[in-house]
Amino acid sequence: MAGPCAIEGEEIALRIAERIVSITDKLQIPYIFKGSYRKANRSRIDSFTGIGDEKALKILQKVHTTFGVPTVTDIHETQEAAMAAAYVDVLQIPAFLCRQTELLAAAAKTGKAVNIKKGQFLSADSMRFAVDKVMESGNQQVILTDRGNTFGYQDLVVDFRGIPVMQSFDVPVVMDCTHSLQQPNQASGVTGGKPALIETIAKAAIAVGADGLFIETHPDPANAKSDGANMLPLDLLEDLLIKLTRIREAIA
């Protein structure tokens, strides 16, 4: 799963998607385009939240029809599930909301695949209950995505033991290589990050057997409207994925 943090406009979304599709097609990597149609969890009230729900969702739909790839976006409240499901293939539950029973059930009942981000405040074992909520709502299409664990007030740390633990629930497990490097709760009100370590997190995840990777990427992270501090520059993606496919082949 890869794409910009937020949908900023049609031209840039299609440009990012076209570039990633060309890379993943060449490397024969299954690909899901990621973009948030709205950012609900922001540090400040004046932070960018989106270009409008329907406008952004239609852009996600256009990515799907233009390039023939599935798309994923996050939802925040129960009433958003059916709305977003009309446009995208995978509904994502944000980490802070992974215990919200009604939200998980609403996503499940759309029939779309549900990608649940592991809460920064939860153990890997605890995610079993999130999986159960979706499956017991009649949907067996569940993905779990690790995005690190809260470490102090302003940092995260990845415990790679969580990948095989969550795989034991018989669901695919993805490593979020960019959000796991966030440095939240900065005094400025803008989340920081350590993007220089994206390759380190990605290599380790593949080495321990992760089923997939989640990478937010942008042609100009410094000017991205959301989470630029921990995104991968788009022109570095191909080289990274080439290295990762070699690791995957070595452990196969």
Side-chain angles (χ1 to χ4, degrees):
M1 300 182 215
C5 178
I7 297 299
E8 302 175 1
E10 181 176 308
E11 186 276 330
I12 191 166
L14 292 174
R15 178 154 54 102
I16 293 170
E18 181 177 29
R19 178 61 182 141
I20 301 176
V21 167
S22 71
I23 296 168
T24 53
D25 280 354
K26 181 164 61 174
L27 298 177
Q28 298 184 330
I29 298 172
Y31 173 50
I32 301 172
F33 177 86
K34 184 271 168 183
S36 296
Y37 73 90
R38 180 175 3 123
K39 301 301 296 183
N41 178 19
R42 301 286 83 193
S43 296
R44 302 188 323 204
I45 198 166
D46 61 348
S47 297
F48 174 81
T49 57
I51 60 174
D53 292 355
E54 187 176 12
K55 183 177 181 180
L57 286 166
K58 285 183 175 179
I59 291 171
L60 285 161
Q61 187 178 53
K62 186 165 184 176
V63 168
H64 171 77
T65 57
T66 302
F67 301 106
V69 295
T71 57
V72 57
T73 199
D74 36 342
I75 59 172
H76 318 91
E77 299 182 37
T78 55
Q79 65 268 24
E80 296 177 30
M83 175 183 70
Y87 296 93
V88 301
D89 305 282
V90 183
L91 298 179
Q92 182 168 288
I93 307 300
F96 282 124
L97 301 177
C98 69
R99 283 176 50 89
Q100 297 298 105
T101 302
E102 291 184 359
L103 181 61
L104 289 164
K109 289 172 183 175
T110 66
K112 300 289 184 174
V114 181
N115 179 36
I116 312 171
K117 289 284 196 78
K118 186 188 81 64
Q120 305 92 316
F121 46 88
L122 289 176
S123 69
D125 292 286
S126 299
M127 292 304 293
R128 179 188 306 274
F129 305 109
V131 172
D132 288 345
K133 289 175 183 178
V134 174
M135 291 189 173
E136 290 170 11
S137 297
N139 189 332
Q140 304 298 304
Q141 302 177 86
V142 185
I143 304 164
L144 290 179
T145 296
D146 196 343
R147 48 98 75 240
N149 307 289
T150 299
F151 186 72
Y153 289 114
Q154 295 175 318
D155 208 355
L156 298 166
V157 65
V158 178
D159 181 354
F160 286 98
R161 296 175 300 178
I163 292 175
V165 168
M166 292 189 289
Q167 286 173 327
S168 73
F169 311 150
D170 294 323
V171 298
V173 175
V174 171
M175 184 71 230
D176 184 338
C177 304
T178 45
H179 287 95
S180 59
L181 292 167
Q182 281 185 335
Q183 293 181 304
N185 307 318
Q186 299 296 306
S188 65
V190 178
T191 296
K194 295 182 177 180
L197 294 174
I198 291 170
E199 183 172 322
T200 301
I201 297 292
K203 285 178 174 178
I206 293 299
V208 299
D211 299 292
L213 299 174
F214 180 107
I215 299 174
E216 288 190 340
T217 183
H218 193 282
D220 184 11
N223 290 302
K225 294 184 181 295
S226 178
D227 279 3
N230 54 269
M231 279 204 277
L232 181 74
L234 184 58
D235 61 4
L236 300 181
L237 182 63
E238 182 171 6
D239 182 62
L240 173 60
L241 291 179
I242 289 171
K243 293 176 182 177
L244 297 176
T245 56
R246 290 173 180 163
I247 295 172
R248 185 65 175 256
E249 289 166 1
I251 66 171

